[in-house]
Amino acid sequence: MRYKEIVGLAAKATTELRAWESHHAQELDGRIAAAEVALEQAMEREKRTGQTVRNWWRMTSDNVARLPWLELGEEPVPAANAPGSWLDRHLNEVKPIYQELVDAVLSLGWRARR
């Protein structure tokens, strides 16, 4: 009788363990799928941000191209240690700074722009 009780408990434990493992595996599959979607979104955002930076750089270089006394540096490259959470903040700071540059170039006399 005791043997049957022990075997029954072992069978029940085995069934419960399988159910838990199955549930845990489904949970992990869901987390993996969510991580893959997040990765794809991050890669797309990185691509869009890179294109945005190239556009701003091209517009900046066009604005200062006629200033022979100003030497334009290298095109910016992504900073590997930059926190991604600050991306929107940095992108929002570029437009007013760019506008300041345009205003400064336009305020120069014609001699300074040649």
Side-chain angles (χ1 to χ4, degrees):
M1 193 69 166
R2 180 76 179 136
Y3 175 75
K4 285 185 179 183
E5 182 181 325
I6 292 171
V7 170
L9 288 173
K12 181 180 175 187
T14 302
T15 303
E16 289 176 358
L17 181 61
R18 282 187 185 139
W20 179 84
E21 286 177 341
S22 175
H23 175 72
H24 190 63
Q26 289 174 354
E27 182 182 315
L28 290 175
D29 286 343
R31 291 168 69 185
I32 289 170
E36 288 173 347
V37 168
L39 178 62
E40 288 176 22
Q41 290 172 344
M43 290 171 58
E44 180 60 33
R45 186 172 185 197
E46 178 184 24
K47 182 179 172 184
R48 283 192 321 266
T49 302
Q51 185 59 43
T52 301
V53 168
R54 283 188 290 282
N55 290 342
W56 282 110
W57 184 256
R58 190 178 68 246
M59 291 188 308
T60 300
S61 62
D62 288 346
N63 272 293
V64 298
R66 293 169 297 197
L67 305 174
W69 48 269
L70 182 63
E71 195 171 310
L72 196 59
E74 295 291 320
E75 184 174 335
V77 295
N81 61 348
S85 59
W86 292 11
L87 179 61
D88 291 331
R89 176 180 164 199
H90 290 307
L91 289 176
N92 290 334
E93 290 176 356
V94 170
K95 188 172 184 174
I97 293 171
Y98 172 75
Q99 191 58 49
E100 286 181 35
L101 171 72
V102 170
D103 293 343
V105 169
L106 291 175
S107 70
L108 292 172
W110 65 272
R111 288 183 181 166
R113 286 188 268 170
R114 287 187 140 207

